[in-house]
């Protein structure tokens, strides 16, 4: 057995893990795997290979830049942590930790959280998920009766265009605020100052990789938030046929950014013939109030959000001034891919061992 880093020629070896996870696994999506795990310096996938070259354990690492109290920190966001043999997963997890100075896990399996609790990770409270037009979507491997019931709910509940519902509240948004759709992330989109104690703070290059607006497997849409003629933030939507997710946003003012999110959603759904669920995450008290005024309902609180102990940094458990978003890591992409998965490819593979420990 050996640990290697994923490269495109290793896609076939991943399919043993993908078959174990099931049809909803993101590891079956070649365009995603190649882009996310082999398309930048910020993200990689560690694989434990058996003697026959097939993967028996995997764990992904996205090195995400954050700012907390004006201090820059890099959190290694975990993804696709699976193991087919007892003990192998723990070994790969420790290898993953050596490659990042601190870790971040969003969602995760019970086995993952068992390891995190044993390692004394901190669970962040107060991160809420909100939804407008609640979804009744079927998921892979869901029982047939539930799929049928959700189909009935989607096709029999009253349909009313989203703009009609939202426009009743648009009068509360000052007229100097607007949004404009863009195709590429530029430096002037990034906030020059921030009202948030904790936020994801990627560069323009990072955004052009992670939320690229030209990807084939997911549709990201970028909106510039304007106050008169001045850029004061940005909003990124994950726009799929059945659902819209507020993927990432940032700005120079709390209220303005929340209004920018609402205006971006309105722009993206203005021509919709049927309702689509709109999902977002928030822990900021003022932003939550604004979202609720526009009809967003709390779906659940305390979305799994775990951070490893941070050296020389005390994290206040109060998250009411944090900026959090829903499409971090690969968590929200489950079920939202635009392309069908490719059939498994069996092939003989060569691999490059991992030699560095990183930091």
């Amino acid at each position: 057995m050996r640990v290697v880093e994923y490269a495109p020629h290793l896609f076939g070896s991943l399919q043993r893990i993908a078959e174990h996870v099931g049809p909803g696994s993101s590891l079956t999506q070649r365009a995603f795997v190649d882009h996310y795990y082999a398309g930048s310096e910020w993200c990689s996938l560690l694989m434990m290979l058996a003697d026959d070259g097939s993967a028996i354990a995997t764990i992904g690492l996205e090195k995400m830049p954050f700012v907390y109290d004006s201090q820059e920190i890099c959190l290694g966001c975990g993804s696709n942590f699976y193991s087919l043999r007892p003990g192998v997963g723990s070994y790969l997890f420790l290898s993953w930790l050596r490659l990042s100075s601190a870790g971040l896990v969003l969602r995760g399996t019970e086995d993952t959280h068992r390891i995190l609790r044993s390692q004394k990770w901190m669970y962040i409270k107060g991160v809420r998920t909100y939804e407008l037009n609640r979804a009744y979507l079927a998921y892979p491997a869901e029982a047939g009766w539930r799929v049928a019931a959700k189909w009935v709910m989607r096709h029999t509940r009253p349909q009313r265009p989203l703009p009609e519902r939202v426009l009743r509240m648009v009068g509360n948004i000052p007229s100097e605020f607007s949004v404009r759709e863009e195709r590429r992330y530029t430096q002037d989109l990034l906030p020059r100052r921030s009202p948030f104690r904790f936020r994801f703070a990627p560069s323009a290059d990072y955004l052009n990789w992670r939320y690229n607006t030209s990807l084939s497997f997911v549709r990201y849409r970028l909106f510039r938030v304007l106050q008169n003629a001045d850029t004061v933030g940005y909003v990124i939507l994950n726009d799929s046929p059945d659902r819209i997710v507020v993927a990432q946003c940032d700005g120079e003012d709390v209220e303005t950014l929340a209004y920018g999110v609402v205006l971006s959603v309105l722009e993206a759904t203005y021509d919709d013939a049927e309702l689509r669920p709109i999902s977002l995450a928030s822990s900021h008290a003022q932003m939550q109030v604004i979202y609720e005024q526009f009809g967003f309902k709390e779906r659940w609180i305390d979305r799994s959000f775990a951070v490893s102990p941070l050296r020389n940094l005390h994290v206040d458990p109060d998250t009411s001034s944090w900026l959090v978003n829903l499409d971090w890591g690969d968590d929200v992409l489950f079920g939202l891919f635009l392309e069908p998965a490719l059939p498994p490819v069996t092939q003989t593979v060569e691999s490059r061992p991992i030699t560095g420990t990183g930091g």
Side-chain angles (χ1 to χ4, degrees):
M1 295 189 298
R2 61 193 185 279
V3 178
V4 303
E5 185 176 315
Y6 175 79
H9 70 277
L10 292 172
F11 181 76
S13 70
L14 274 180
Q15 298 317 295
R16 183 177 178 185
I17 289 282
E19 291 169 1
H20 171 77
V21 178
S25 170
S26 64
L27 296 179
T28 64
Q29 303 284 340
R30 179 155 199 164
F32 162 75
V33 174
D34 286 353
H35 175 79
Y36 187 58
Y37 291 120
S40 80
E41 63 189 74
W42 296 289
C43 195
S44 59
L45 181 72
L46 301 184
M47 306 163 56
M48 177 73 77
L49 299 185
D51 292 339
D52 64 359
S54 63
I56 56 174
T58 59
I59 189 169
L61 168 64
E62 180 181 348
K63 295 183 178 180
M64 301 178 64
F66 287 86
V67 173
Y68 182 83
D69 276 349
S70 301
Q71 181 175 339
E72 295 181 0
I73 56 176
C74 180
L75 298 181
C77 184
S79 62
N80 278 308
F81 180 35
Y82 300 109
S83 176
L84 302 183
R85 296 185 188 177
V88 173
S90 296
Y91 175 83
L92 201 59
F93 184 84
L94 293 175
S95 299
W96 175 80
L97 282 181
R98 287 195 295 270
L99 291 169
S100 55
S101 55
L104 169 66
V105 170
L106 305 169
R107 205 170 69 169
T109 65
E110 182 52 40
D111 285 341
T112 299
H113 290 290
R114 175 179 50 80
I115 295 175
L116 302 188
R117 287 189 288 268
S118 70
Q119 297 284 327
K120 308 299 183 184
W121 283 44
M122 176 175 60
Y123 282 81
I124 305 299
K125 303 296 183 181
V127 179
R128 304 183 180 187
T129 300
Y130 286 86
E131 194 165 88
L132 183 65
N133 305 328
R134 182 173 180 177
Y136 294 97
L137 302 178
Y139 296 98
E142 194 166 27
W145 69 269
R146 290 182 61 86
V147 174
K150 289 183 176 184
W151 187 93
V152 171
M153 291 298 294
R154 290 198 306 272
H155 289 83
T156 59
R157 62 179 176 158
Q159 296 292 300
R160 185 165 52 176
L162 178 63
E164 180 183 335
R165 300 180 63 189
V166 175
L167 282 172
R168 291 181 300 177
M169 293 296 298
V170 165
N172 293 339
I173 300 179
S175 59
E176 67 265 24
F177 297 133
S178 62
V179 296
R180 185 178 73 220
E181 188 161 10
E182 305 278 359
R183 295 292 297 172
R184 186 167 179 80
Y185 304 90
T186 52
Q187 186 66 30
D188 66 318
L189 282 171
L190 306 182
R192 296 157 293 185
R193 56 188 179 276
S194 177
F196 303 105
R197 188 171 189 184
F198 173 84
R199 67 187 180 96
F200 180 39
S203 65
D205 287 342
Y206 193 114
L207 291 171
N208 276 306
W209 159 70
R210 177 59 182 83
Y211 303 103
N212 191 292
T213 59
S214 300
L215 295 173
S216 62
F217 56 87
V218 64
R219 185 188 187 197
Y220 285 118
R221 298 178 66 180
L222 166 65
F223 293 88
R224 180 186 297 268
V225 181
L226 298 163
Q227 183 174 8
N228 296 318
D230 296 329
T231 297
V232 291
Y234 67 86
V235 176
I236 305 169
L237 303 182
N238 182 332
D239 186 343
S240 75
D242 296 322
R243 180 184 176 196
I244 286 182
V245 171
V246 179
Q248 163 65 13
C249 65
D250 200 358
E252 298 179 358
D253 177 78
V254 172
E255 185 178 57
T256 302
L257 182 58
Y259 288 151
V261 168
V262 173
L263 290 172
S264 299
V265 167
L266 176 63
E267 182 71 20
T269 60
Y270 195 83
D271 293 325
D272 281 7
E274 296 183 357
L275 293 175
R276 281 189 290 171
I278 317 295
S279 302
L280 60 84
S282 177
S283 67
H284 196 286
Q286 188 178 349
M287 296 182 79
Q288 289 173 352
V289 170
I290 293 173
Y291 293 145
E292 290 169 2
Q293 288 175 345
F294 281 89
F296 283 89
K297 304 294 185 183
E298 182 184 313
R299 185 74 181 275
W300 60 79
I301 190 173
D302 291 342
R303 174 173 175 260
S304 295
F305 192 115
V307 180
S308 66
L310 298 172
R311 302 185 187 94
N312 304 318
L313 181 63
H314 171 71
V315 177
D316 191 327
D318 180 8
T319 60
S320 62
S321 62
W322 287 23
L323 177 63
V324 298
N325 283 290
L326 199 52
D327 193 348
W328 289 352
D330 76 330
D331 180 28
V332 80
L333 290 173
F334 179 84
L336 290 182
F337 290 108
L338 300 180
E339 297 180 330
L342 295 176
V345 177
T346 302
Q347 60 185 40
T348 302
V349 299
E350 297 179 354
S351 56
R352 176 172 61 85
I354 301 296
T355 57
T357 58

